Structures are given as C-alpha cells and as structure tokens.
Amino acid sequence: MILGNLSGLSEFRLLGFSGNSHLHPLFFVILLSLYILTLVANTAIAFTINTDSTLRTPMYFFLTQLSCLDICYLSVMIPTILENLMVGTVSISKTRCAMQMFSFLFFGVAECFLLAAMSLDRYFAVCHPLHYTIIMSSRVCRSLVAGSYICGAAVGLIHTLITFSSPLCGSAIDHFFCEIQPLLDLLCGNTFPRELQVILVAVFAILSPFLLIIYSYIHIISTILHMASAESRQKAFSTCSSHLLVVTLFYGTAGSTYLRPKSTYCAAVDKFLSLSYSVLTPLLNPIIYSLRNKEVKRALKKKWRKTNLMMDFGPA
C-alpha cells in the first residue's frame, strides 16, 4: 500500500486472483465458457420472447429486460477478470475504474428494482386477475422499467462520486474489478462517514425493492392459500416460483456483500460473493425461467425445431 494522500493518482492496480497462478489457465477457460454460455442463454430467451406472439405479456416483457440487464451486467466485469487471469495484475486508469464502478452499480441496481417490478406484476396477476390487463398496461410496464434504469443511474452516480471524490492513500485494489468495498479500504483518514453513505445508499438500492417484493409475496401467498381448487393453487405457485428463485439467488449474494460494515470485510469472501452474483446469477436466471416455465420451454422448442427445419431444407 502506498502511503500518503495520492490526490494525483491516475491509475489503479487490480490484484485479482494473485494466488494460485498455475490454476489461472483453467479458471480462464471455465470463466470464458460460462460467459459465452450466459450470453447465448440470455440472448436466446430475449429473442424467443420478442419473436413469439404468445409471449407478449407483461411478465415476459420484464423477463426480456432481465436478460438484457444480465448480459450488460456480466459484460462490465468479465473482460477485466479474463485479462487478470491472462496477465496477472491489471493496470486500470482512474477514469475507466470509475466508469466500471458506475456501470456495475447501474445495471445491478436496475436489476434490483426490475425484480421488484416483476413481483408487482405477479401480485396483480394473482391477487387482482380481473383488473390485471388494465393495471399492467404497456405504458405502466415501460414506466416501471424506465424507473428501474433511473434508480440504477442515480445510485451508480452517487456511489461513484462519493468514492472518487475522496482522498485515496493507495492504488492497489485487492479485487478483480473496481468494487466498492476494496476501494473503501484505500480511503484516507476516518472512513466512517463514507461507509455510512455507502450503506444508506445500499439500503435504498437493495432493501427498499426487497421489502416491496416481500410485501407482494405475502399477499400473493395469502391469496393462493385461499383459492378453492388445488389446480388453481398449483398454477399460481408455478407462475411465481421462478421469480422467487431468482430473487433469492440475487438478493442473497448481493445483500450479504453490501449490507454489512467494512469491519467484517474479507477480500477472499467478497471475491467469491462477487463471482456468485456477477457470473452465476446471470447464467442461472435463463435456466431457471426456461426449465420452470412451460410457455418459455414450448417457445424455445418451437424455435429449435424451426431452426433445424430451415437447416435441413436450406441450400445444399
């Protein structure tokens, strides 16, 4: 760690996976394969929904947005991680580091609020089915998505300004991309006010949409339990189970990373959690929705059969 206030700092060093260098080629191949698989899976989901007229409902509109967010979210970090695995310590300019932090927060927070919007969609579909199409109009859906992006941009901007306007006493970031917690370790003097600001913004970005999701599902579960037939209950649960799994996966890892004080921070644990919500979550989201949703599975099979048919009858 470089001592003193580095006010003229122009670049950082991302230490990344500094140990186990003999395993870096294996990690590189695994991570690149997961990245390509995630891009293909999310692109397939978005393309299938946009080209299938039977899937043009609010739920699938939100799912398309989720797939696009996952692609962008993942693409912010993976190139830097792959570069770190290839060359070791990576030098990154202060501007690029700030842009990376902003983009990561922008897409991550937008996904938090999008998951909350998806829970509202399920709430109105299950609890107010007669008014569902009126309430969840295309205009409302677009507004909810726009609001998610606006919240993401606001949180990303606030966090980035707070972090990069503070005096820094080091240039080595013990992480594989410009994350908030490792950068807080580089702040000079009393960092408590900055930590408090970060936690307050994280409470707004993570906890407030999560509470909305909890509120929605309390009413959803109550409504389902009061349904007369077992078939209706099973159908209602099946439409919500995929979303619940995605919410649990995303909020479980993100919340354990950001909703805790810096004193409990551990670089190794934080790197593992970062990989979980930045790599595994975007990969598992399309798998969860495609495996647990009959309409998506049917549409994907239809597209697959159509593609094979075109290949069979294509030019020789």
Side-chain angles (χ1 to χ4, degrees), residues 48 58 72 75-76 86 89 117 156 159-160 165 169 173 184 194 201 203 209 217 236-237 248 262 289 311:
T48 300
C72 297
S75 298
V76 170
M86 280 196 300
T89 300
H159 263 314
T160 305
S165 63
C169 291
I173 302 174
L184 285 178
R194 298 298 186 187
V201 175
V203 166
Y217 273 100
F237 269 123
T248 303
K262 198 184 77 169
Y289 274 103
M311 291 176 65

Side-chain angles (χ1 to χ4, degrees), residues 119 122-124 126-128 211-227:
S119 73
R122 293 299 83 209
Y123 165 75
F124 288 120
V126 174
C127 301
H128 302 282
L211 291 176
L212 180 58
I213 292 171
I214 294 296
Y215 175 82
S216 298
Y217 273 100
I218 288 173
H219 287 276
I220 289 171
I221 293 171
S222 176
T223 301
I224 291 174
L225 292 177
H226 285 87
M227 289 180 176

Side-chain angles (χ1 to χ4, degrees), residues 37-285:
L37 183 60
T38 302
L39 291 180
V40 171
N42 280 288
T43 302
I45 290 286
F47 176 77
T48 300
I49 291 173
N50 282 324
T51 56
D52 194 310
S53 58
T54 63
L55 299 180
R56 290 175 184 171
T57 63
M59 182 175 73
Y60 297 113
F61 170 73
F62 289 128
L63 182 54
T64 302
Q65 298 299 318
L66 181 65
S67 294
C68 293
L69 273 177
D70 281 339
I71 290 172
C72 297
Y73 184 60
L74 190 63
S75 298
V76 170
M77 294 162 291
I78 291 298
T80 304
I81 300 174
L82 293 176
E83 183 183 358
N84 180 268
L85 289 171
M86 280 196 300
V87 302
T89 300
V90 174
S91 294
I92 182 172
S93 69
K94 189 175 181 179
T95 302
R96 183 185 166 195
C97 188
M99 287 300 297
Q100 189 178 69
M101 174 183 280
F102 170 78
S103 301
F104 168 73
L105 291 168
F106 169 58
F107 293 121
V109 172
E111 184 159 334
C112 285
F113 283 92
L114 183 65
L115 289 172
M118 293 173 78
S119 73
L120 278 179
D121 173 67
R122 293 299 83 209
Y123 165 75
F124 288 120
V126 174
C127 301
H128 302 282
L130 298 179
H131 301 95
Y132 173 66
T133 54
I134 299 173
I135 297 171
M136 296 301 295
S137 64
S138 58
R139 181 180 177 183
V140 170
C141 293
R142 287 194 297 269
S143 298
L144 288 171
V145 171
S148 299
Y149 285 118
I150 290 170
C151 289
V155 171
L157 188 61
I158 292 170
H159 263 314
T160 305
L161 289 175
I162 288 174
T163 304
F164 286 89
S165 63
S166 305
L168 299 172
C169 291
S171 62
I173 302 174
D174 190 10
H175 214 285
F176 40 75
F177 71 102
C178 292
E179 248 277 41
I180 298 170
Q181 292 289 358
L183 277 164
L184 285 178
D185 282 341
L186 303 182
L187 298 183
C188 301
N190 180 18
T191 63
F192 178 74
R194 298 298 186 187
E195 291 178 53
L196 185 60
Q197 287 175 315
V198 168
I199 290 175
L200 288 176
V201 175
V203 166
F204 165 74
I206 298 176
L207 201 56
S208 57
F210 182 69
L211 291 176
L212 180 58
I213 292 171
I214 294 296
Y215 175 82
S216 298
Y217 273 100
I218 288 173
H219 287 276
I220 289 171
I221 293 171
S222 176
T223 301
I224 291 174
L225 292 177
H226 285 87
M227 289 180 176
S229 66
E231 184 180 352
S232 298
R233 289 195 296 271
Q234 184 179 1
K235 184 179 179 181
F237 269 123
S238 66
T239 62
C240 301
S241 58
S242 299
H243 180 255
L244 270 175
L245 282 173
V246 169
V247 167
T248 303
L249 187 65
F250 184 81
Y251 276 94
T253 51
S256 58
T257 300
Y258 294 107
L259 296 177
R260 60 188 173 95
K262 198 184 77 169
S263 58
T264 63
Y265 172 75
C266 173
V269 173
D270 192 65
K271 289 177 186 178
F272 172 76
L273 290 173
S274 295
L275 277 177
S276 298
Y277 66 73
S278 63
V279 178
L280 293 181
T281 302
L283 172 63
L284 292 176
N285 283 353

